[in-house]
Amino acid sequence: MQSINQNTMSNALPDFRNWGVILRSLLLVNGMVLLGAITLASSWQDILERLIDISALLQPVLLLNLSLLFMLNSWLVRLTYKRGATVVLLLAMSVTLMIYHLGGRLYISTVDYGYFHSWRNALLSSVIASLLLVYFQFRAHALSPALDKARLQALQARIRPHFLFNSINAVLGIVRANPKRAETALEDMADLFRMAMAHDGELVIVRQEVALARQYLALEQLRLGERLKVNWYTDNMPDDALLPPLILQPLLENAVYHGIEPLAEGGIVEIKLYCNGNEMHLEIYNPRQEQGSHHVGNKIALSNIRERLALQFDVEASYKVEIGKDFYRVHIKLPYVKELVQLLPVS
């Protein structure tokens, strides 16, 4: 799960429970090993032999270190950066010494077995760990909270004009036929935009996001009438879950304008929100006609959602689209985050 830390990102250790951090650590360390094997080798065959020799000690050390950091992550995030980094370096050295000596004669054919060489490898492990911390520190600085907040606000600004334009069109569709109803709709729209503009880039409680989505769909139902039907499935939705703001409304806008509206008979939009273990799921289904849509698809809002999910959750979030002959389904999966504290984008 994403790291939750009250420190600024530039002063925080990486979240060792995030799969993106784990995968990057594995790739970077093994990349350094490969580079070292190529540098030391005298032939192509020697590269493979040296890589096998080094990996015999490296892989157990690396995997055990990552496992211990995963378990200790909740404690590490409460430390200052210097203390946390010191713990990480000492852990790297200790695990190396332990693996080296427990392996005993297993490493005598791959490295010179002895007191001096065991400490040499322990120091080498701390150097590699230091390089990883420098990399994550540099990446954290590039993705500082201020920059992330600015990017999120800019991304959301690209959604809000669509939101406003389409909501006004919904009210205009009934203003002559039913002025009283249109007046009520304008009041609802004012409440709707008050909620939407209140978001500042942080995560929001799921029930607030659902309330905003319901108001948006109510405005669309004023315009489309019985052609738009909505089924909500929220029995297994955790009320304390947090979501990126304005994530449901663009998906529902897409479902209405590119799915329901082109169909003369209309159709049903289905929204499912549920929790499965440590994962939060959002599914939106709508019918569609294979050809002849009178709307040209605008993919800005959908690419916006992909970018925000990647920015805030890295590889722990996924966005999948299934397009059938007569249906369109979006399935979003993200970590089940429920603590109302400052969340920082993944290191």
Side-chain angles (χ1 to χ4, degrees):
M1 183 177 292
Q2 186 181 17
S3 178
I4 301 174
N5 200 326
Q6 297 297 335
N7 300 326
T8 61
M9 170 150 312
S10 60
N11 293 321
L13 289 172
D15 179 4
F16 293 109
R17 290 185 178 177
N18 182 274
W19 287 110
V21 171
I22 294 172
L23 289 174
R24 288 188 182 91
S25 299
L26 289 169
L27 291 173
L28 287 170
V29 172
N30 282 283
M32 285 187 277
V33 169
L34 178 60
L35 183 62
I38 293 174
T39 303
L40 297 173
S42 57
S43 64
W44 288 106
Q45 183 177 357
D46 193 27
I47 292 176
L48 181 60
E49 291 177 355
R50 287 183 179 273
L51 193 59
I52 293 174
D53 288 347
I54 297 172
S55 295
L57 177 61
L58 171 75
Q59 301 306 329
V61 170
L62 177 59
L63 293 175
L64 183 55
N65 263 302
L66 289 175
S67 299
L68 291 173
L69 290 172
F70 184 95
M71 292 184 288
L72 294 173
N73 187 74
S74 298
W75 173 67
L76 287 172
V77 296
R78 294 195 293 267
L79 302 178
T80 62
Y81 182 81
K82 288 184 179 180
R83 291 181 179 179
T86 301
V87 171
V88 171
L89 298 183
L90 290 175
L91 186 65
M93 294 180 66
S94 300
V95 168
T96 303
L97 290 171
M98 182 185 71
I99 295 293
Y100 192 92
H101 288 287
L102 287 178
R105 297 295 172 178
L106 174 64
Y107 300 118
I108 195 169
S109 60
T110 59
V111 293
D112 295 327
Y113 185 70
Y115 180 81
F116 171 77
H117 293 95
S118 65
W119 277 98
R120 182 192 65 181
N121 286 314
L123 290 173
L124 183 59
S125 292
S126 69
V127 170
I128 293 174
S130 298
L131 291 174
L132 284 177
L133 290 177
V134 169
Y135 163 77
F136 286 119
Q137 181 82 342
F138 177 81
R139 189 171 186 274
H141 179 74
L143 297 175
S144 65
L147 290 176
D148 284 343
K149 186 172 183 179
R151 288 182 65 189
L152 286 171
Q153 289 176 337
L155 288 167
Q156 289 172 8
R158 289 190 286 179
I159 289 180
R160 286 168 182 158
H162 302 142
F163 199 174
L164 175 61
F165 177 79
N166 292 327
S167 298
I168 290 175
N169 275 348
V171 175
L172 288 176
I174 63 166
V175 68
R176 290 182 180 177
N178 194 335
K180 184 63 177 177
R181 195 177 183 189
E183 181 182 352
T184 302
L186 286 173
E187 292 174 354
D188 290 341
M189 193 170 74
D191 292 337
L192 180 66
F193 277 95
R194 190 176 297 111
M195 292 173 63
M197 299 302 290
H199 299 323
D200 61 359
E202 301 298 326
L203 301 187
V204 297
I205 299 176
V206 63
R207 60 176 175 269
Q208 295 178 356
E209 190 70 7
V210 169
L212 186 147
R214 286 183 184 274
Q215 283 193 286
Y216 170 77
L217 289 172
L219 286 171
E220 291 290 15
Q221 284 176 320
L222 289 177
R223 186 170 62 89
L224 297 176
E226 293 299 319
R227 293 175 57 203
L228 173 59
K229 298 178 178 65
V230 182
N231 288 338
W232 287 87
Y233 299 92
T234 58
D235 291 344
N236 296 319
M237 180 187 78
D239 289 335
D240 58 352
L242 300 179
L243 301 177
L246 287 178
I247 193 172
L248 275 177
Q249 185 277 329
L251 296 174
L252 294 173
E253 179 182 319
N254 188 69
V256 171
Y257 278 78
H258 307 305
I260 302 300
E261 190 168 345
L263 297 172
E265 70 281 9
I268 300 174
V269 175
E270 296 183 353
I271 306 110
K272 299 179 181 179
L273 294 97
Y274 59 94
C275 185
N276 184 11
N278 291 324
E279 295 177 342
M280 182 71 189
H281 294 259
L282 291 75
E283 294 184 33
I284 295 179
Y285 167 92
N286 62 269
R288 64 181 289 269
Q289 62 181 29
E290 193 169 11
Q291 296 178 344
S293 172
H294 64 280
H295 288 297
V296 177
N298 189 335
K299 298 182 179 180
I300 292 178
L302 302 185
S303 62
N304 169 288
I305 292 173
R306 290 181 187 273
E307 186 171 349
R308 284 193 288 152
L309 288 172
L311 181 64
Q312 289 190 295
F313 298 108
D314 202 358
V315 298
E316 293 190 331
S318 65
Y319 179 110
K320 295 181 180 179
V321 173
E322 182 183 359
I323 303 176
K325 183 178 180 179
D326 58 357
F327 74 91
Y328 187 95
R329 180 184 288 113
V330 175
H331 183 188
I332 293 177
K333 180 180 68 175
L334 61 160
Y336 174 25
V337 181
K338 58 183 178 179
E339 292 86 354
L340 281 171
V341 294
Q342 179 183 1
L343 277 104
L344 301 176
V346 179
S347 296

